């Protein structure tokens, strides 16, 4: 049973460890809602996970601390456990999926933990951690399905009510459910009128499916840029807590997540990983009913792998209509390319790439295929350029 007293105890224990992340007012995320960000991406380890991990380890007996702790993680929980264990002089071993970002693996090592890379995804690392726990007598620090961990994460809910007492909706990323369980339990216990919404990636919607079917279910696989919430199966405690305290959990697409990362970078100068930006994506694309409400998006982490950042930004640009590629069939004769460029330039499009192909399949023998990539303002601007080109007689399609 979760107890609110444990949440207040966790807040006291964590008061000298964590940063109390101040709210950031950002109405540009959705003009129909009064939006604030809770930037947990600014925590010492770049994620909210330090809260639950540190509090859990702090509550272990001396005997348990002497034997050491073990955990499994896609990266953020690993760093929280490593920091907490090292700070308290406790040995830590972390099992990470083999595909975890190198930056997260190295950060975990720098914080003093021993790392064991496991083939597969989070759930495979979880099974390996349980095996090593039994073999060596370590204490397992679960990333989400643990009452102490949930209480630590739930201190975010207490802070939210302190920082914005008249908040009407809170939107939280969901993987295994530890964060939203803590936030929802704390907020609903103190103010049941506040709506709490969860967000999962479409490619890892384990909690959404479980709640829909009213039972814990395990997905056969997960695939998403939001590696921090790529969990096949929710926890027993978190499933029950979400069933009782969370108003709704929705999904967002990969493109919507990428667009949210880009929006945070440009508008707020804030770096968020895919999992952290999921809450913002839900509000940007009206996946949750927050119109006219004071809304807080929990940006749960900022540990994005910089090696994929360029691809994420490009997908975000495409989703928001800022980058567009069109193909068209045109007569292979002088002046056609100039005509196309003139139409685009006259409407303010900026051509960044041109590919002219005579060998591509086409309807007419004396025709060619032209591919043009351009920078545009938004989706309406793309439609305007497309319409103008069609009025000039060009047959085109957007790719």
């Amino acid at each position: 049973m979760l107890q609110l007293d444990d949440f207040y105890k966790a807040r006291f224990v964590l008061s000298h460890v964590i940063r109390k992340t101040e709210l950031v007012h950002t109405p540009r995320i959705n003009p129909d809602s009064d939006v604030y960000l809770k930037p947990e991406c600014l925590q010492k380890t770049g994620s909210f996970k330090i809260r639950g991990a540190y509090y859990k380890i702090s509550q272990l007996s001396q005997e348990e601390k002497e034997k050491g702790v073990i955990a499994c993680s896609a990266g953020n929980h690993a760093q929280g456990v490593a920091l907490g264990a090292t700070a308290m002089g406790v040995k830590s071993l972390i099992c990470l999926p083999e595909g975890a970002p190198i930056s997260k693996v190295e950060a975990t090592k720098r914080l003093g933990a021993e790392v064991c890379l496991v083939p597969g995804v989070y759930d495979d690392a979880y099974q390996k951690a349980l095996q090593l726990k039994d073999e060596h007598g370590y204490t397992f620090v679960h990333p989400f399905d643990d009452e102490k961990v949930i209480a630590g994460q739930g201190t975010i809910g207490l802070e939210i009510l302190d920082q914005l007492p008249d908040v009407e909706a809170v939107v939280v990323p969901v993987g295994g459910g530890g964060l939203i369980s803590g936030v929802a339990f704390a907020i609903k216990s103190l103010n049941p009128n506040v709506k709490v919404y969860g967000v999962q990636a479409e490619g890892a919607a384990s909690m959404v499916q479980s709640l829909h079917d009213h039972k814990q279910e395990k997905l056969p696989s997960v695939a998403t840029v939001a590696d921090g919430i790529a969990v096949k199966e929710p926890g027993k405690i978190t499933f029950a807590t979400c069933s009782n305290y969370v108003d709704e959990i929705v999904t967002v697409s990969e493109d919507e997540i990428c667009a949210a990362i880009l929006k945070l970078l440009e508008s707020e100068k804030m770096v968020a990983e895919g999992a952290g930006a999921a809450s913002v994506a839900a509000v940007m694309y009206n996946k949750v009913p927050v119109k006219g409400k004071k809304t807080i998006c929990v940006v749960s982490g900022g540990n994005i792998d910089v090696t994929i950042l360029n691809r994420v930004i490009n997908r975000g640009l495409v989703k928001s209509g800022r980058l567009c590629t069109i193909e068209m069939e045109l007569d292979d004769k002088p002046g056609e390319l100039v005509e196309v460029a003139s139409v685009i330039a006259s409407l303010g499009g900026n051509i960044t790439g041109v590919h002219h192909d005579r060998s591509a399949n086409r309807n007419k023998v004396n025709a060619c295929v032209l591919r043009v990539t351009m920078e545009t303002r938004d989706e309406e601007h793309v439609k305007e350029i497309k319409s103008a080109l069609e009025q000039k007689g060009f047959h085109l399609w957007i790719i």
Side-chain angles (χ1 to χ4, degrees):
M1 291 283 293
L2 295 175
Q3 301 289 337
L4 193 58
D5 284 351
D6 211 22
F7 286 56
Y8 284 105
K9 183 178 180 181
R11 182 161 72 171
F12 175 77
V13 170
L14 295 171
S15 61
H16 69 286
V17 176
I18 63 167
R19 293 171 179 157
K20 187 178 179 181
T21 49
E22 299 297 336
L23 299 182
V24 177
H25 191 208
T26 173
R28 287 176 291 183
I29 294 295
N30 186 326
D32 294 326
S33 178
D34 191 14
V35 181
Y36 296 77
L37 305 177
K38 179 66 170 169
E40 287 295 293
C41 52
L42 301 181
Q43 284 295 350
K44 293 177 182 178
T45 59
S47 162
F48 75 96
K49 289 284 191 177
I50 185 178
R51 295 174 181 260
Y54 191 98
Y55 181 59
K56 169 67 176 180
I57 297 170
S58 75
Q59 300 305 294
L60 298 179
S61 67
Q62 188 58 38
E63 182 182 356
E64 289 172 322
K65 290 179 180 179
E66 288 173 358
K67 289 183 178 180
V69 297
I70 189 167
C72 61
S73 171
N76 288 334
H77 179 61
Q79 294 177 59
V81 172
L83 185 149
T86 301
M88 288 178 260
V90 177
K91 176 187 174 183
S92 60
L93 173 62
I94 315 293
C95 295
L96 288 93
E98 223 171 33
I102 294 174
S103 58
K104 292 184 178 181
V105 175
E106 293 305 310
T108 303
K109 291 179 180 178
R110 285 196 301 272
L111 290 168
E114 182 183 341
V115 169
C116 173
L117 293 177
V118 181
V121 295
Y122 161 79
D123 300 82
D124 301 297
Y126 174 66
Q127 294 301 323
K128 181 65 174 179
L130 292 182
Q131 174 193 331
L132 294 174
K133 165 188 173 291
D134 292 337
E135 289 178 4
H136 301 282
Y138 300 129
T139 295
F140 182 65
V141 182
H142 200 287
F144 52 83
D145 207 32
D146 181 283
E147 292 176 356
K148 299 298 182 186
V149 170
I150 291 171
Q153 323 299 29
T155 56
I156 293 173
L158 300 179
E159 289 180 15
I160 284 172
L161 293 178
D162 285 344
Q163 293 167 325
L164 193 68
D166 56 346
V167 61
E168 296 171 278
V170 180
V171 188
V172 186
V174 180
L179 173 60
I180 195 169
S181 292
V183 170
F185 181 85
I187 288 177
K188 293 288 189 176
S189 297
L190 296 170
N191 187 351
N193 295 322
V194 178
K195 298 293 184 181
V196 179
Y197 301 109
V199 187
Q200 290 200 298
E202 286 180 354
S206 56
M207 186 69 83
V208 170
Q209 182 171 311
S210 295
L211 291 175
H212 178 269
D213 295 338
H214 306 290
K215 61 180 181 179
Q216 275 179 267
E217 292 189 347
K218 184 175 182 178
L219 300 177
S221 62
V222 291
T224 174
V225 69
D227 58 282
I229 52 175
V231 179
K232 289 181 181 178
E233 183 179 14
K236 180 179 179 181
I237 300 171
T238 58
F239 171 72
T241 306
C242 287
S243 299
N244 292 326
Y245 293 95
V246 176
D247 292 282
E248 184 183 5
I249 300 182
V250 301
T251 61
V252 288
S253 69
E254 296 295 278
D255 286 341
E256 288 165 346
I257 291 172
C258 291
I261 292 172
L262 177 62
K263 185 71 172 179
L264 290 171
L265 277 171
E266 280 196 311
S267 299
E268 306 305 325
K269 314 307 177 218
M270 186 180 295
V271 178
E273 60 187 280
S279 57
V280 175
V283 172
M284 280 178 61
Y285 292 98
N286 297 302
K287 297 296 184 76
V288 286
V290 295
K291 184 176 181 179
K293 294 180 180 177
K294 281 194 174 182
T295 304
I296 293 177
C297 295
V298 178
V299 182
S300 57
N303 292 318
I304 191 167
D305 185 358
V306 294
T307 62
I308 69 164
L309 191 55
N310 184 54
R311 282 175 283 170
V312 167
I313 290 173
N314 280 335
R315 285 190 68 162
L317 288 170
V318 172
K319 175 64 179 176
S320 57
R322 302 270 300 284
L323 188 67
C324 174
T325 299
I326 60 174
E327 279 191 357
M328 66 189 75
E329 185 178 272
L330 66 165
D331 294 335
D332 192 5
K333 64 182 183 181
E336 292 291 279
L337 180 56
V338 171
E339 181 73 13
V340 171
S342 296
V343 172
I344 294 172
S346 67
L347 293 173
N350 181 37
I351 296 174
T352 59
V354 175
H355 179 71
H356 182 275
D357 191 353
R358 285 177 166 173
S359 64
N361 293 330
R362 53 193 183 275
N363 296 325
K364 296 187 292 185
V365 174
N366 64 335
C368 65
V369 172
L370 180 70
R371 175 180 291 185
V372 178
T373 301
M374 55 186 166
E375 295 173 340
T376 46
R377 290 190 298 272
D378 50 33
E379 292 177 358
E380 288 302 315
H381 192 202
V382 172
K383 292 177 183 178
E384 184 182 0
I385 292 173
K386 181 176 182 288
S387 177
L389 288 168
E390 288 174 337
Q391 288 175 16
K392 289 288 185 179
F394 296 111
H395 174 64
L396 59 91
W397 52 96
I398 297 174
I399 60 174

